[in-house]
Amino acid sequence: QVQLVESGGGLVQPGGSLRLSCKAPRSITSVFNPLTIAWYRQAPGKQRELVASITSGRTTDYADSVKGRFTISRDNSRKTVYLQMNSLKPEDTATYYCNTNQYGSEYWGPGTQVTVSS
């Protein structure tokens, strides 16, 4: 099993920045390093959507809505994936979750709330 824990959410004004972290505290690096980690978000009344992902080889992918504003990265020594979010908009308000798939099983963190409002 892979436990994922998100942190870094909060309230920010439009145009502001936040950095989210997704840590796998109970995994050893040999388990964490090969994993593709993704960030999803879900706003009230909407479906969960993929925001960004990063492979073990650091290949990244982004939703069109966040390209140029969000950056995903990973620090394998810390077993952590980051989501740097800049130029935040009210429509970025959502609960953000990190996700991975290992041997066909999906794992999710509990989520961290991001609210963009003046």
Side-chain angles (χ1 to χ4, degrees):
Q1 284 192 335
V2 180
Q3 182 192 28
L4 299 173
V5 181
E6 303 94 340
S7 63
L11 173 64
V12 63
Q13 293 187 340
S17 298
L18 282 175
R19 188 177 79 158
L20 306 183
S21 298
C22 170
K23 190 174 177 70
R26 296 185 180 177
S27 294
I28 57 177
T29 54
S30 61
V31 170
F32 179 82
N33 292 357
L35 298 176
T36 292
I37 306 291
W39 282 98
Y40 285 76
R41 66 185 181 188
Q42 187 167 21
K46 294 189 176 181
Q47 286 191 328
R48 194 170 294 192
E49 63 173 350
L50 177 64
V51 175
S53 64
I54 186 166
T55 69
S56 59
R58 291 180 165 78
T59 297
T60 59
D61 192 26
Y62 297 92
D64 287 343
S65 59
V66 307
K67 281 181 182 176
R69 300 189 298 123
F70 291 11
T71 302
I72 190 170
S73 62
R74 65 191 296 159
D75 182 340
N76 287 341
S77 67
R78 297 179 185 270
K79 299 173 292 180
T80 301
V81 168
Y82 302 99
L83 186 68
Q84 178 67 43
M85 306 187 297
N86 298 328
S87 302
L88 283 161
K89 304 175 181 180
E91 51 263 43
D92 295 317
T93 295
T95 302
Y96 284 70
Y97 301 90
C98 60
N99 162 276
T100 193
N101 185 301
Q102 185 189 48
Y103 309 130
S105 295
E106 284 215 73
Y107 299 95
W108 295 88
T112 186
Q113 177 67 37
V114 172
T115 302
V116 185
S117 175
S118 55

